[in-house]
Amino acid sequence: MLPESTNGAGGTSGGGLAVPMAWLCAEYLADEVLRTAALVAPGSLEYRAGLQALALTVHLSEGPDGPSVGWAAGDVDAWLRHTAYDRPWPPWVEERLAARRASGGDGPDLALAHTAWRLLRDTWVLAADLDSRAVGGDASPVDEDDQVWLPAWKLGLPLAHLSLHLR
């Protein structure tokens, strides 16, 4: 059996099996944040969307030295900025993925990040219309019966952001 690579870039070491360590670390951190916040049931569609959105944010926020495996205040602040409501998250994700692809880095990590983004972008869910309050500008509660179809990232990103605040 060939040894597994444990370098942060997810590459191979001496012809061994390529293990997507950077993506797995990002997904682990996202899972810890969401489970700690306990806003939705693990295994639900909402949980999966939040997990993928936060894992993508963590993974794409990483520097060239690989994943951050701690809870450094600067890391959390960056994740909060990227997941904030008024930020253009989808263009940021696509820009970062394109930059990684152009640099030829990430290997299996990049493939998993692309898959997560494709699923978040192409999966549509029926959910409460949270944007209707933003358009009207009033402070009335959300009418959960007023539902619209939206891409899964629009469901997962606010969950990820709120979970980061509650961690």
Side-chain angles (χ1 to χ4, degrees):
M1 177 178 221
L2 297 174
E4 293 181 352
S5 170
T6 56
N7 66 8
T12 59
S13 174
L17 178 65
V19 176
M21 290 304 294
W23 178 259
L24 293 175
C25 286
E27 202 169 51
Y28 173 78
L29 285 172
D31 186 57
E32 285 294 311
V33 168
L34 290 170
R35 284 183 189 275
T36 301
L39 295 172
V40 294
S44 66
L45 180 63
E46 295 88 352
Y47 186 87
R48 190 70 193 153
L51 178 74
Q52 290 177 338
L54 187 52
L56 260 176
T57 302
V58 169
H59 181 68
L60 295 176
S61 296
E62 295 169 359
D65 296 332
S68 172
V69 293
W71 291 101
D75 292 337
V76 175
D77 289 343
W79 303 336
L80 282 166
R81 277 193 311 276
H82 289 303
T83 59
Y85 179 77
D86 61 344
R87 299 299 294 248
W89 190 76
W92 176 79
V93 168
E94 290 182 358
E95 181 181 293
R96 299 291 294 215
L97 287 172
R100 297 255 176 115
R101 185 176 36 249
S103 71
D106 263 5
D109 293 301
L110 184 60
L112 289 171
H114 271 287
T115 299
W117 173 234
R118 184 180 45 76
L119 289 171
L120 284 169
R121 185 192 61 215
D122 297 346
T123 301
W124 287 72
V125 295
L126 187 61
D129 187 6
L130 299 176
D131 287 333
S132 65
R133 280 190 31 203
V135 172
D138 61 7
S140 62
V142 172
D143 179 6
E144 292 188 29
D145 292 328
D146 185 19
Q147 296 190 336
V148 294
W149 287 99
L150 51 118
W153 71 264
K154 280 195 169 191
L155 183 62
L157 196 62
L159 176 61
H161 185 77
L162 184 55
S163 295
L164 282 167
H165 271 291
L166 296 174
R167 66 153 187 88

